[in-house]
Amino acid sequence: MNSKANPVTWFEIPVRDLQRAKTFYEQVFDTSLDLLEMGGIRMAWFPRPENAVGTSGGLIEAPGREPSRFGTVVFFNVASIDSTLAAVEKTGGTIVMPRAGGGKHGSIGQFADPEGNIVALYSDET
């Protein structure tokens, strides 16, 4: 492993309905996802600005890839946990854990997307 690089370089969130999931994530995070199809696999990629710190990933609709409430949880960095969770509810997701924490370690929250995945939020807000 390259000790000078973030060890996580990509993530994939499995979905059954790519268009529904794409619309949900675009509205929650106020962004646009790029569609891509490769060999029967359909994806929608989150933006990755040039020279940005961190990683990126996408939604994936493919045989054998099933949404789940169990397993790895992806954390998205946001400015406000509360306003993002409000957007989640407005767009068809469910709050699993409201904003918690604060202080020097920041705050977190979790939601279930319309596909059934658990996704988390992180903010350095106190």
Side-chain angles (χ1 to χ4, degrees):
M1 184 179 307
N2 181 347
S3 63
K4 293 183 180 184
N6 182 341
V8 178
T9 61
W10 185 257
F11 65 84
E12 293 175 347
I13 300 173
V15 301
R16 287 186 187 95
D17 183 333
L18 186 62
Q19 189 55 54
R20 174 178 66 185
K22 179 180 179 293
T23 299
F24 172 80
Y25 282 94
E26 286 177 334
Q27 291 176 357
V28 166
F29 294 116
D30 190 26
T31 192
S32 295
L33 279 66
D34 293 326
L35 291 172
L36 179 73
E37 190 164 337
M38 298 183 301
I41 296 173
R42 297 179 62 224
M43 298 184 77
W45 290 8
F46 289 92
R48 184 176 184 150
E50 191 172 331
N51 300 320
V53 176
T55 190
S56 190
L59 309 174
I60 183 169
E61 181 184 275
R65 304 298 299 272
E66 292 294 324
S68 174
R69 295 181 67 88
F70 309 101
T72 304
V73 176
V74 175
F75 280 74
F76 284 85
N77 193 357
V78 297
S80 167
I81 302 288
D82 292 333
S83 64
T84 305
L85 289 176
V88 164
E89 283 190 311
K90 181 180 177 184
T91 320
T94 305
I95 295 174
V96 173
M97 183 180 84
R99 183 168 65 91
K104 69 178 186 176
H105 297 295
S107 299
I108 62 171
Q110 293 185 345
F111 65 89
D113 71 12
E115 299 292 309
N117 295 297
I118 299 296
V119 178
L121 305 170
Y122 169 82
S123 176
D124 60 9
E125 65 188 332
T126 55

